[in-house]
Amino acid sequence: MDEPSAAGGSGVAQQLEDGPLRRELGVAPDTPVPPAPPARHSEHLHFSGRGSEYFRIWVVNLLLTLATLGVYSAWAKVRKARWFARHTALGGHRFDFHGEPWRILLGRAIAVALLVLWSFAFDVSAWFGLAVLALFCVVGPLLFAGAQRFRLANTSWRGLRFSFEAPRREVFVVCVPLVLMWTVGTVFQAFGVEGGWLVAAGLLTLFGFPWAHARLKQMQHSHAAYGNVRFAYGHATASFYGLYAKAAVLAFVGGAFAVPLLGLLGQTAGGGAAQPAWWMAALFGAVVVLATWLVAWPYFAARLQQVVWGATHCGPLRFRGEMKGFVLWRLVIVQTLLVLATCGLYWPFAAVAIARYRVQSIVVESDAPLPDVEAPAVPEGARRAAGDAAADFFGLDIGW
Amino acid sequence: VVKVDDDATLPAPGHRATYFDGRSNAAQPVQVRVDAGTLEITTDVDDGQPRRYAVDRVAPGERYAGAPLPVALPDGGTLWLDDEAAPVAAALAARADRRRPAARLSASWRAVVACLVALVGLVVWFDRQGAGLAADAALVLVPRRVDDAVGAVAMRAIDKRWLAPSTMDVERRGLVTTRLLALQGRVAPELEGVRIEFRRLLSDTRSEAGFNAFALPDGTIVLLDGLAEALTDDELLAVLAHELGHVAHRHGMRSALRGFGLAAVAGAVLGDFSGVVAAGVATLQTFHHSRDAEREADAFMHRAVAAEGLPPQVIASVWRKFAAREQREGGGGLPAWMSTHPPTDERLRAAAGR
């Protein structure tokens, strides 16, 4: 019974992708991207931040965050985001970040409240759990879109802001499946669902997730704008499946490398004594997770950048992600070792090194030289109409 | 003779900068200067008429090394000042920086080193004392009802997954229960809901059906058959008194609260780098507090055994049985910092010392 349900799952995915169901749901069709002629001008993003400067910001941020029991974390986030934006340049012009800390604070308070509610919901009763899940399905997508809007509307380049305005219906169509995939395990556990259904839900999540992630990226990138120039996004769902499949294989390889290594370690440490207690299992688990992550994540992040930016364009501009999995992999391994060797003090330097590589591998292509590409701002009236009361309320940042 | 109007003909001695009007993304090269509390911006395309802004109406950003300074203008425009306009940037930012204590701290290495020392001190203090104090403070706010609910949920879950009904002699069960409740009435009469549940470990492949006893936050003490078979009635009472100590000190809820605090701090410090590392560090620190809690429960046990009129050798004999078992089964050789319990040697010495 697992086989057909998995096939059925991808069948629905297929339908949503280009079938009548998509029109039914009112999801904007993907605009096919004509094969682009080779661009005459290309410009790399440039990152000028130095680890020693970020280190100083990081230390102060951390101290104030702990000393204020976390309240300062919102201000810390703004300082961090501003520093990274101001050190990122395109065509010689810097980005800037203008977010207001109190909105981040409010967003975090709401997120923490929702998560606490969620983690105890099914302990109260199954029906209360379902009610909280329903709340998640309503509020979650709006919060997500709000966070996206917050991030973009507070980012500027060459004197103009970016923006994000997705139709509410699309926000729900894209986000609710993700909420359900995230919660299905807990819900089934609470209702004591076992066996075939659990396997079916697992498979559906496994095969549905790349699709859902692709849809999310599509929504993020096709409803963004710079000034009044809209971003557009092509087809990339198939690439997401390839990306996830390869990352899964790499994760498996990483885990396979870690397990015999740990066995060896256990042999030497145990000295032939009886098997150690549960904490050894927990430690092994943590090491396996870390090894898996170290092997699979760099490839995943690099390929994701290539796929997502390769499908994105903005007016006359096209983008290219040039990040290489192997280069990022080497960078992440070395930086992780340095962080571990310094009890975490090297982290700001590592964060800057990784950010530099990720930022500088994004290329903007255009037919005209970048300074000549014009973008007028959105007229004042239109801007105000877009920001209704609900949008303002949910224009919070929930991300960490 | 032509009369020269100074202001009109002499170009203002300004610095080159870049200006955006906020309506299009076109970069306009401009000349800027600050004069008597006024920022003057002269566009090349204008007819030389400078725009003037009061210095306290413009909003310069924080200054970063090697990055131009953006200055937000009240009309929605932005001025970007790089090295060529450094004096203007310095004049504008000096005022703004005074209102940014965090920026001033991160601008000087000396202040950053002081912050780092304070940070390490704060984290170490929080780990040693702060988390405990915070947990104690929060404990007062958590009603006992919560302990009861948590205990009931935990008992259901553990019962379902790990435990089977006890095969212990019913008469001995009654005796043990009576003695424990009598002891509780003497040493901790304020406690409510204390009871013993007898179980054996489900599908235990070893010969002993669980060499353990544990307490849940609602006052339930679970005694496993393996331990009951190995100990005499007096020794059993000592172990149960130790578990009663956990209940009396609300160790279950306290360690949960402290765990929240430690996880939050570890998450704030390390979460950016890796959630796994943060969780690992927080877990190791909870072990350290768990050992302290065990010592507290041991002290309670010593008091209870004395109040009961039992010889202190009873306790030493319990630890000797634990040590013998550890020798047989292994698992006792954990490094101390990775263990949830104090080393048995130490507990034996403490028992002998009294």
Side-chain angles (χ1 to χ4, degrees):
Chain A
M1 77 153 289
D2 310 325
E3 287 282 317
S5 75
S10 44
V12 171
Q14 198 68 42
Q15 270 217 325
L16 269 177
E17 209 41 58
D18 28 36
L21 187 52
R22 134 176 262 129
R23 279 196 297 281
E24 196 66 23
L25 291 168
V27 184
D30 299 325
T31 33
V33 189
R40 282 182 295 166
H41 297 274
S42 70
E43 186 99 42
H44 276 263
L45 259 75
H46 178 72
F47 188 78
S48 61
R50 297 174 63 91
S52 59
E53 192 179 26
Y54 181 52
F55 177 82
R56 289 180 282 155
I57 289 178
W58 178 77
V59 166
V60 173
N61 273 351
L62 211 48
L63 176 66
L64 294 179
T65 297
L66 290 187
T68 57
L69 302 177
V71 172
Y72 186 79
S73 71
W75 279 258
K77 183 174 173 167
V78 168
R79 286 195 73 209
K80 176 182 165 184
R82 205 155 46 199
W83 186 82
F84 274 93
R86 290 258 311 276
H87 277 296
T88 303
L90 174 60
H93 294 290
R94 306 298 177 123
F95 289 79
D96 200 0
F97 182 75
H98 313 268
E100 290 166 53
W102 70 266
R103 279 185 176 261
I104 296 179
L105 194 63
L106 195 57
R108 284 182 175 186
I110 292 174
V112 167
L114 281 177
L115 282 179
V116 168
L117 199 61
W118 173 248
S119 40
F120 295 110
F122 279 101
D123 292 335
V124 174
S125 86
W127 294 108
F128 183 68
L130 282 189
V132 173
L133 178 59
L135 181 73
F136 261 49
C137 286
V138 174
V139 177
L142 294 178
L143 275 175
F144 177 82
Q148 194 63 23
R149 181 163 49 233
F150 177 85
R151 213 163 295 146
L152 284 177
N154 284 309
T155 303
S156 69
W157 180 65
R158 286 196 0 190
L160 292 190
R161 299 281 180 111
F162 290 80
S163 62
F164 179 79
E165 290 298 333
R168 200 157 292 174
R169 185 157 48 168
E170 186 175 341
V171 170
F172 281 106
V173 167
V174 170
C175 294
V176 169
L178 275 168
V179 174
L180 294 179
M181 283 180 197
W182 179 54
T183 52
V184 66
T186 316
V187 173
F188 275 22
Q189 199 185 13
F191 281 91
V193 178
E194 278 175 357
W197 283 106
L198 208 58
V199 176
L203 285 175
L204 201 62
T205 302
L206 196 66
F207 288 103
F209 194 77
W211 166 79
H213 190 187
R215 301 281 317 168
L216 193 71
K217 281 291 163 201
Q218 170 171 32
M219 179 181 82
Q220 284 179 303
H221 280 225
S222 53
H223 295 291
Y226 169 66
N228 70 352
V229 184
R230 294 282 300 262
F231 278 73
Y233 190 78
H235 262 299
T237 311
S239 315
F240 269 77
Y241 275 96
L243 164 67
Y244 269 90
K246 280 186 208 149
V249 171
L250 278 177
F252 183 76
V253 170
F257 263 114
V259 168
L261 201 72
L262 283 171
L264 209 68
L265 214 79
Q267 287 269 305
T268 33
Q275 274 312 300
W278 60 270
W279 66 265
M280 207 66 169
L283 188 70
F284 278 24
V287 172
V288 170
V289 167
L290 211 60
T292 309
W293 179 82
L294 275 182
V295 173
W297 179 79
Y299 165 80
F300 183 80
R303 185 77 190 114
L304 185 68
Q305 190 198 57
Q306 291 173 12
V307 167
V308 169
W309 285 103
T312 304
H313 51 148
C314 173
L317 305 181
R318 285 179 301 278
F319 301 89
R320 207 170 64 227
E322 281 190 342
M323 199 148 67
K324 300 279 180 294
F326 181 71
V327 180
L328 184 62
W329 187 76
R330 214 173 42 194
L331 188 64
V332 166
I333 299 265
V334 170
Q335 301 295 324
T336 302
L337 288 178
L338 285 169
V339 170
L340 291 178
T342 55
C343 297
L345 281 185
Y346 191 76
W347 165 243
F349 296 88
V352 166
I354 293 170
R356 178 180 299 118
Y357 179 61
R358 297 182 76 176
V359 166
Q360 298 203 145
S361 50
I362 293 182
V363 184
V364 180
E365 297 178 330
S366 55
D367 294 330
L370 204 54
D372 298 344
V373 175
E374 285 179 10
V378 178
E380 195 66 33
R383 210 168 8 186
R384 220 176 293 121
D388 58 40
D392 271 349
F393 175 73
F394 284 108
L396 306 166
D397 187 58
I398 49 167
W400 257 258
Chain B
V1 177
V2 180
K3 196 171 181 212
V4 177
D5 183 351
D6 279 338
D7 273 316
T9 51
L10 288 178
H15 302 273
R16 273 138 55 92
T18 308
Y19 170 76
F20 296 99
D21 60 12
R23 291 185 296 278
S24 89
N25 69 344
Q28 302 174 33
V30 291
Q31 301 267 328
V32 288
R33 66 186 198 121
V34 173
D35 185 27
T38 307
L39 171 68
E40 283 187 14
I41 305 178
T42 314
T43 326
D44 292 354
V45 292
D46 289 346
D47 42 12
Q49 274 306 318
R51 295 155 181 270
R52 289 197 171 85
Y53 302 94
V55 164
D56 50 11
R57 297 282 313 282
V58 303
E62 193 179 329
R63 269 186 293 178
Y64 301 131
L69 179 78
V71 180
L73 304 173
D75 55 13
T78 316
L79 192 65
W80 285 85
L81 307 170
D82 57 16
D83 286 347
E84 288 185 74
V88 178
L92 293 178
R95 298 167 54 88
D97 282 355
R98 242 170 280 148
R99 294 191 302 270
R100 295 191 185 107
R104 261 159 58 203
L105 283 179
S106 29
S108 113
W109 271 106
R110 200 180 301 174
V112 168
V113 170
C115 285
L116 189 61
V117 171
L119 179 65
V120 172
L122 196 62
V123 170
V124 169
W125 174 81
F126 188 78
D127 172 45
R128 296 287 128 131
Q129 285 195 314
L133 292 177
D136 287 342
L139 200 59
V140 182
L141 304 176
V142 179
R144 283 270 182 178
R145 271 184 295 122
V146 178
D147 296 42
D148 294 348
V150 170
V153 169
M155 187 66 206
R156 267 204 305 277
I158 297 170
D159 229 356
K160 197 172 150 193
R161 177 104 174 71
W162 302 106
L163 305 179
S166 167
T167 54
M168 189 175 157
D169 174 41
V170 178
E171 204 175 313
R172 191 174 176 219
R173 283 195 224 178
L175 198 70
V176 167
T177 310
T178 316
R179 283 188 73 182
L180 175 71
L181 293 181
L183 179 144
Q184 183 233 317
R186 265 192 293 280
V187 297
E190 74 286 357
L191 288 184
E192 284 169 22
V194 173
R195 65 198 173 110
I196 312 187
E197 293 285 343
F198 297 88
R199 296 287 191 277
R200 61 187 298 122
L201 212 53
L202 194 66
S203 70
D204 190 15
T205 49
R206 279 168 249 141
S207 53
E208 289 150 347
F211 193 84
N212 206 356
F214 55 90
L216 297 175
D218 60 346
T220 305
I221 296 171
V222 181
L223 175 62
L224 299 182
D225 283 3
L227 191 66
E229 283 156 21
L231 301 188
T232 67
D233 283 2
D234 284 351
E235 290 165 354
L236 216 46
L237 191 67
V239 169
L240 293 174
H242 168 98
E243 299 306 330
L244 194 63
H246 284 311
V247 176
H249 289 293
R250 289 180 83 184
H251 280 154
M253 189 51 70
R254 229 163 96 188
S255 75
L257 290 172
R258 193 151 35 192
F260 281 138
L262 289 168
V265 169
V269 178
L270 298 167
D272 233 16
F273 163 56
S274 158
V276 176
V277 172
V281 169
T283 309
L284 281 184
Q285 293 322 68
T286 57
F287 286 0
H288 153 73
H289 293 297
S290 159
R291 294 194 295 277
D292 287 349
E294 292 302 328
R295 290 189 186 107
E296 223 169 25
D298 281 353
F300 186 93
M301 166 176 68
H302 281 290
R303 281 199 303 277
V305 165
E308 201 68 3
L310 293 172
Q313 286 84 349
V314 170
I315 297 172
S317 143
V318 170
W319 296 139
R320 266 196 295 278
K321 284 184 179 175
F322 268 80
R325 197 190 120 89
E326 275 168 12
Q327 203 117 71
R328 235 178 19 256
E329 299 273 324
L334 287 182
W337 53 275
M338 271 191 181
S339 181
T340 54
H341 284 64
T344 309
D345 296 352
E346 179 200 311
R347 298 172 106 176
L348 201 49
R349 275 197 306 277
R354 277 168 206 253

